[in-house]
Amino acid sequence: MTGDLTISSLRGGAIDAISSADLDRKTALAQESATRWFARRVSLRSPLDAALPDRPGRPDKPVLTPPTQVEKRSLNTLKGRIALLHAIAHIELNAVDLALDIVARFATEQVPNSFFDGWMLVAFEEAKHFRMVRARLNDLGADYGDLPAHDGLWQAAHSTRNDLTARLAVVPLILEARGLDVTPSLQAKMRQTGDLESAAVLDVIYNDEKGHVAVGAKWFRFLCAREKRDPAKAFQELVRANFRGPLKPPFNDLARAEAGLTPSFYRSLASISYA
């Protein structure tokens, strides 16, 4: 699959992957761009790089709907488990494009190359997650695109397209951190239903996501230190300016803290007050 992948630079490969509506090609480009970058076989930027699209390439399906119109189903049924896995596949696909977008959009920022190392590892792993979840859907007689999906993730990213610090606050430190909060209960429910294969996929995702939040926290703190800003206060200001609605507890405080996201960041933004 990777033999026909022409990659002009890291930014060029990321833009090509974002633009691709062929999801096999998108994930292959994401992983091959990462592999070549890790080996320093491509430069960061090239004059040959295409323009960054406003929206990622997508196949005709799934149909995108507002989040409130996506139906919730019980995990005790096969249809319910397929619906959950479909929603996770959609999240992981968006996560591939979001990680690539951070690299491509902010390739001219004054940051060390290790910044791009971190985000390309995230992109590589999100591509792996999407493929794993899609394969599990196939095992259950379904595929990505069979059900409608929502468009909220990309909208959140679009609002922070001109500010790297805000992008890090919203994408890894809110959207990815939310995965740390909700995934353990989903793992447990999958095991209760006897779907150990799906639970094993969620285990891989959960363990990798801790690292993704850690990458976000590391570089958020780096930028705040450079700007002489208090990270927790800066996070709260950026979230209020760029994210709609309160953060929803319960929080997985332990997993968040392991990733460098301590309660001082998010407790005051939660939808309930804490004594």
Side-chain angles (χ1 to χ4, degrees):
M1 180 71 217
T2 56
D4 61 341
L5 300 180
T6 302
I7 297 170
S8 58
S9 69
L10 179 63
R11 181 175 63 179
I15 289 170
D16 196 5
I18 294 167
S19 304
S20 181
D22 178 330
L23 302 185
D24 289 331
R25 186 170 186 276
K26 182 189 291 287
T27 51
L29 269 167
Q31 294 192 327
E32 183 64 13
S33 297
T35 299
R36 293 188 197 181
W37 171 252
F38 297 149
R40 297 300 188 256
R41 288 163 49 206
V42 290
S43 62
L44 177 58
R45 303 184 299 273
S46 163
L48 302 176
D49 298 343
L52 185 61
D54 284 337
R55 294 189 59 83
R58 288 285 184 270
D60 294 338
K61 289 186 174 181
V63 175
L64 296 178
T65 62
T68 51
Q69 292 179 21
V70 177
E71 187 180 347
K72 288 182 171 60
R73 296 187 173 109
S74 167
L75 291 185
N76 292 318
T77 66
L78 176 61
K79 278 188 174 178
R81 292 198 298 281
I82 287 171
L84 173 68
L85 288 167
H86 192 278
I88 292 171
H90 186 65
I91 290 167
E92 298 301 327
L93 178 61
N94 274 278
V96 175
D97 286 318
L98 287 169
L100 293 168
D101 188 81
I102 285 179
V103 169
R105 188 173 298 278
F106 300 106
T108 55
E109 288 278 328
Q110 294 299 307
V111 289
N113 276 349
S114 53
F115 173 88
F116 301 104
D117 294 345
W119 287 111
M120 288 312 296
L121 177 62
V122 173
F124 189 100
E125 291 181 342
E126 302 291 19
K128 175 185 73 176
H129 297 167
F130 175 75
R131 287 177 170 172
M132 289 176 70
V133 179
R134 191 176 193 182
R136 184 64 192 139
L137 281 170
N138 294 164
D139 291 344
L140 297 175
D143 196 7
Y144 177 68
D146 288 353
L147 299 170
H150 72 77
D151 199 31
L153 292 168
W154 192 257
Q155 289 168 356
H158 191 68
S159 70
T160 58
R161 63 193 180 278
N162 297 319
D163 183 341
L164 177 55
T165 314
R167 171 66 66 90
L168 293 174
V170 170
V171 175
L173 301 188
I174 293 181
L175 301 180
E176 291 241 31
R178 184 74 186 133
L180 300 184
D181 302 333
V182 302
T183 306
S185 65
L186 297 176
Q187 291 166 300
K189 286 174 185 172
M190 282 293 190
R191 288 195 179 90
Q192 286 166 10
T193 67
D195 190 343
L196 301 183
E197 295 84 357
S198 295
V201 171
L202 292 177
D203 289 345
V204 172
I205 292 174
Y206 179 67
N207 288 322
D208 287 348
E209 298 294 350
K210 289 180 190 174
H212 301 177
V213 177
V215 171
K218 170 186 173 178
W219 291 108
F220 184 81
R221 290 176 184 276
F222 171 88
L223 292 173
C224 287
R226 192 164 71 180
E227 296 164 13
K228 296 183 171 52
R229 299 171 77 183
D230 175 81
K233 284 183 181 172
F235 177 76
Q236 290 155 18
E237 290 165 5
L238 289 163
V239 170
R240 289 191 181 105
N242 295 284
F243 189 77
R244 290 180 191 162
L247 307 192
K248 295 176 183 174
F251 299 113
N252 186 342
D253 290 328
L254 182 60
R256 283 168 168 254
E258 286 174 356
L261 188 59
T262 51
S264 62
F265 275 69
Y266 54 85
R267 284 292 188 187
S268 65
L269 297 167
S271 52
I272 61 170
S273 59
Y274 289 84

